Amino acid sequence: MGTEDAEAIAPGTCPTASGMPMLGLGTWQNDDADQCAESVRTALETDYRHIDTAQAYGNEEAVGDGIAAADIDREDVFLATKLWHSNLAYDDVLETARDSLDRLGVDSLDLLYVHWPSGTYDPEETLSGLSELYDEGLIENVGVSNFLPSDLEVAVDVCDAPIFANQVELHPLLPQKQIREACENYDIEVVGYSPLARGRVFNQAEIQEVAAKHDASEAQVSLAWAREKGVTAIPKATGADHIGDNWESLTVELDREDINTIDAIDETSRQVDPDFAPWN
């Protein structure tokens, strides 16, 4: 589990974690169909190979259009989506996953997540449905999202297919140490959404200090920090400038002093906190 041997990865090359590219394009709130499709196409032609969406984002069709428009083979793209919490009964898992495939215009998914352990989520029913999709070859990997360590323990116990990844909000202001440790124990990859804390990292003195040292942007430093933690980051970006700036984070190599500076940030800021979250 985790990053490939760093010595084998050239600067600017995207490392992988268990075959998953460790920098992806997030598409949350990218709900203008034309813009979303163009963002996905731009990212893929910038060398991104990991695209993340969800049923709740309302843009799966546009994401599929962007993949189709890019001059990239489908098998080279790691594509993930998520089942919304109203679609987690056994039959709904099977039906709505197929609906997502249709909207995305693909025959299979590289990763399908349970978006939240809430709503109609029932570990045995929901994960049985996902295991069936896995056995049928419609999904390559089963994922969960926003799962606490206790939720992971249950999921690992009841799911017939391996749990591949847990996607959680994760950034220097919410490092999620306990969840990372639990995932390490269960051999589960960690995928971090909102890795820039919705822009709050830009004004953090410690991030600014490290960015100035490396002549890098605050976004690039935050993404490099996540990579050093073994976390796959999926920052949202729409314009070519931000897509490109995030990609250049792969050239930023932080040293131990940098990591310690960022780890010492004495502030916690959770950006995604719905009432139905398992921690509420």
Side-chain angles (χ1 to χ4, degrees):
M1 186 190 78
T3 302
E4 296 169 334
D5 182 353
E7 293 182 355
I9 301 168
T13 300
C14 189
T16 61
S18 301
M20 173 177 60
M22 291 188 72
L23 181 63
L25 178 73
T27 61
W28 178 70
Q29 288 189 328
N30 197 348
D31 50 12
D32 178 284
D34 290 341
Q35 176 183 269
C36 181
E38 180 62 14
S39 298
V40 170
R41 184 195 66 78
T42 298
L44 291 173
E45 295 184 354
T46 304
D47 285 340
Y48 285 74
R49 292 295 182 269
H50 181 172
I51 306 295
D52 182 272
T53 183
Q55 293 175 343
Y57 300 170
N59 63 10
E60 288 177 319
E61 186 172 353
V63 168
D65 289 344
I67 293 171
D71 188 23
I72 305 295
D73 290 341
R74 164 65 187 99
E75 55 265 30
D76 293 333
V77 180
F78 189 96
L79 177 61
T81 192
K82 310 176 196 72
L83 300 169
W84 187 235
H85 64 49
S86 59
N87 296 331
L88 298 178
Y90 176 80
D91 289 339
D92 291 336
V93 167
L94 301 180
E95 179 180 351
T96 68
R98 287 176 168 83
D99 291 341
S100 288
L101 288 169
D102 289 343
R103 286 190 292 269
L104 288 161
V106 296
D107 296 325
S108 65
L109 291 162
D110 297 277
L111 179 56
L112 180 61
Y113 294 97
V114 175
H115 205 154
W116 292 89
S118 60
T120 57
Y121 176 67
D122 174 89
E124 293 194 0
E125 275 208 21
T126 303
L127 296 171
S128 291
L130 283 160
S131 294
E132 183 168 328
L133 294 168
Y134 175 84
D135 289 341
E136 290 180 18
L138 294 180
I139 62 175
E140 293 294 323
N141 295 288
V142 172
V144 296
S145 183
N146 299 297
F147 275 41
L148 298 176
S150 56
D151 301 310
L152 284 176
E153 182 179 9
V154 174
V156 168
D157 184 54
V158 305
C159 191
D160 291 335
I163 303 294
F164 176 80
N166 184 21
Q167 184 179 133
V168 297
E169 179 182 349
L170 197 152
H171 44 74
L173 307 182
L174 192 68
Q176 299 278 29
K177 183 178 180 181
Q178 288 185 329
I179 287 177
R180 286 189 286 115
E181 289 175 348
C183 288
E184 179 81 21
N185 289 338
Y186 292 121
D187 199 24
I188 292 172
E189 296 297 339
V190 180
V191 177
Y193 68 78
S194 297
L196 308 180
R198 298 187 179 175
R200 294 186 188 277
V201 298
F202 302 157
N203 299 317
Q204 196 68 37
E206 294 88 346
I207 303 290
Q208 293 172 341
E209 174 188 334
V210 175
K213 172 182 172 181
H214 289 273
D215 193 23
S217 70
E218 290 82 2
Q220 291 168 354
V221 165
S222 297
L223 296 173
W225 170 86
R227 188 171 67 252
E228 289 292 334
K229 298 294 185 183
V231 173
T232 295
I234 49 168
K236 179 186 74 171
T238 53
D241 53 347
H242 287 152
I243 290 170
D245 187 72
N246 291 342
W247 184 255
E248 288 301 311
S249 69
L250 297 171
T251 66
V252 177
E253 297 292 332
L254 302 182
D255 59 30
R256 176 46 53 190
E257 180 183 13
D258 300 327
I259 297 298
N260 290 342
T261 296
I262 297 170
D263 286 348
I265 292 174
D266 187 22
E267 179 179 341
T268 299
S269 180
R270 184 185 289 276
Q271 302 302 304
V272 180
D273 194 19
D275 291 340
F276 55 76
W279 50 84
N280 287 328

